[in-house]
Amino acid sequence: MQKIFINEEHFNPTHTLECGQFFRFSIDNEGNYFAISGSKRAKIIPKNNGYEVQCDNANYFKNFFELDKNYQQKKEELASFKFLQKPIEFGYGIRILRQDLFEAIICFIISQNNNIKRIQKIIEAVCKRAGSKVKDDFGSFYAFPTQNQLLKLTETDYASLGLGYRAAYLAKVVPLLTDEFLNSLKRMSTEVARGALIALPGIGRKVADCILLFGMQRGEVFPVDVWCERVYLSFFKNHAQKNPRIAKGREKISDYLSKVFGTNAGLAQQYLFYYMRSN
DNA sequence: CTCCAGGCTTTAG
DNA sequence: CTAAAGCATGGA
């Protein structure tokens, strides 16, 4: 058992885990969160002035929670945007999670045209079906399946797990996600990597952007979905109308907001998404 | 019953 | 190039 302490000033487990970037979390009847990433699990326990993360690999979760990044600075930079004040106030303590790339690709393909409850349900079903059973100090759980483990599932298997029309996407894309391909992706520029991701079955601009942001730490990416489009239309319409280069369409909204927020675009997106979806 | 969910693919204009 | 239908499933 290893422990990490995270000050509450720039970390809130509820907002970080439930803001929509991540799906494999749960909460026990004492109010403690569990987060599963890859083959590892962490328990997050409230303490004075912060939270204690208990796990078997502290370094893994220090990286997972981006503890090497300066969120005070990010907060100050984003606070200069007045329309972010309420979202930041509401979702205080959000951190962008460094998720496993393979896992992020699978999870965000599942997320398309779907609701978060069912996304979580499907992912757990996939993990239980194909993932390894792991034991830790808190009991046992299922790791996210490796590529080799998912290769054993057919389109029919995925369909039986409730994936709907996404079953065909996974059956086609999993064989393409070799370690060699994933490692080459990580070395590409954001633009090139986005193109390579969109070339895969079941991945369009929005899913690719989520993968870039949450699985490849490309903080300048601003994924735009139906919710963000609404945010844009309500919060940014007046601003955008003053800029003739801004046109309609989610891709152009994403391009524009990436420039507006720079390296903090993804964090700004999470604040806005969480705020809008909760109100 | 219809409508929608962190969209993508295919087809038509 | 843009626009729109079709897609599986389950909950509201």
Side-chain angles (χ1 to χ4, degrees):
Chain A
M1 168 74 73
Q2 299 184 2
K3 299 176 181 177
I4 313 166
F5 180 80
I6 310 180
N7 192 287
E8 65 184 357
E9 187 177 6
H10 299 299
F11 176 66
N12 180 278
T14 301
H15 299 158
T16 293
L17 296 175
E18 301 202 29
C19 67
Q21 64 176 319
F22 183 67
F23 303 105
R24 295 201 75 191
F25 64 86
S26 60
I27 185 167
D28 66 15
N29 49 25
E30 296 176 356
N32 304 307
Y33 276 93
F34 289 92
I36 302 173
S37 171
S39 61
K40 296 175 178 57
R41 178 162 73 171
K43 183 178 185 179
I44 304 166
I45 303 167
K47 299 284 184 180
N48 288 337
N49 304 319
Y51 299 88
E52 184 174 277
V53 177
Q54 300 182 349
C55 57
D56 289 336
N57 190 327
N59 284 334
Y60 183 87
F61 284 100
K62 285 180 182 175
N63 179 67
F64 183 70
F65 288 113
E66 281 201 329
L67 296 189
D68 55 308
K69 286 206 172 182
N70 186 342
Y71 271 73
Q72 175 63 34
Q73 183 182 352
K74 291 178 176 294
K75 184 179 176 181
E76 290 171 2
E77 290 171 1
L78 289 179
S80 64
F81 298 95
K82 290 184 179 177
F83 45 78
L84 282 181
Q85 284 179 355
K86 283 186 179 178
I88 290 175
E89 194 175 325
F90 176 81
Y92 64 90
I94 288 179
R95 303 181 75 90
I96 300 293
L97 300 173
R98 285 197 185 112
Q99 301 181 42
D100 175 77
L101 178 54
F102 178 76
E103 182 171 342
I105 292 173
I106 302 300
C107 288
F108 282 98
I109 287 176
I110 293 171
S111 78
Q112 67 179 229
N113 197 30
N114 210 341
N115 59 68
I116 290 180
K117 267 283 193 289
R118 198 161 81 95
I119 295 167
Q120 292 179 313
K121 188 178 177 183
I122 291 172
I123 291 172
E124 287 313 308
V126 170
C127 292
K128 187 171 183 181
R129 172 64 188 272
S132 302
K133 194 168 186 177
V134 180
K135 291 182 180 177
D136 64 8
D137 291 335
F138 313 117
S140 63
F141 63 96
Y142 290 94
F144 196 87
T146 63
Q147 187 208 14
N148 279 333
Q149 288 175 321
L150 283 188
L151 280 172
K152 296 173 184 171
L153 299 192
T154 65
E155 180 179 341
T156 305
D157 292 328
Y158 288 121
S160 70
L161 295 174
L163 274 105
Y165 70 94
R166 306 164 198 82
Y169 294 154
L170 285 196
K172 289 179 185 173
V173 81
V174 167
L176 304 176
L177 303 179
T178 62
D179 286 339
E180 184 181 13
F181 174 73
L182 298 179
N183 287 330
S184 70
L185 261 186
K186 292 176 183 175
R187 283 187 242 106
M188 296 176 189
S189 70
T190 296
E191 295 290 329
V192 175
R194 175 184 285 137
L197 286 166
I198 290 176
L200 299 174
I203 300 181
R205 171 64 186 257
K206 189 270 170 181
V207 169
D209 282 356
C210 284
I211 293 166
L212 288 166
L213 175 60
F214 304 124
M216 294 171 61
Q217 295 79 50
R218 306 303 171 97
E220 74 276 18
V221 174
F222 194 110
V224 174
D225 58 18
V226 287
W227 290 92
C228 291
E229 195 172 23
R230 291 171 197 162
V231 172
Y232 176 82
L233 292 175
S234 58
F235 281 94
F236 295 95
K237 194 175 182 182
N238 293 332
H239 185 194
Q241 284 176 340
K242 296 174 185 173
N243 189 333
R245 288 176 303 176
I246 305 309
K248 295 179 180 176
R250 294 182 191 173
E251 294 186 8
K252 293 190 175 179
I253 294 173
S254 174
D255 289 340
Y256 173 59
L257 296 180
S258 180
K259 290 179 183 173
V260 169
F261 296 112
T263 56
N264 294 323
L267 183 59
Q269 191 267 8
Q270 283 304 285
Y271 275 121
L272 286 168
F273 176 77
Y274 187 54
Y275 180 69
M276 282 298 291
R277 221 173 55 78
S278 305
N279 291 281

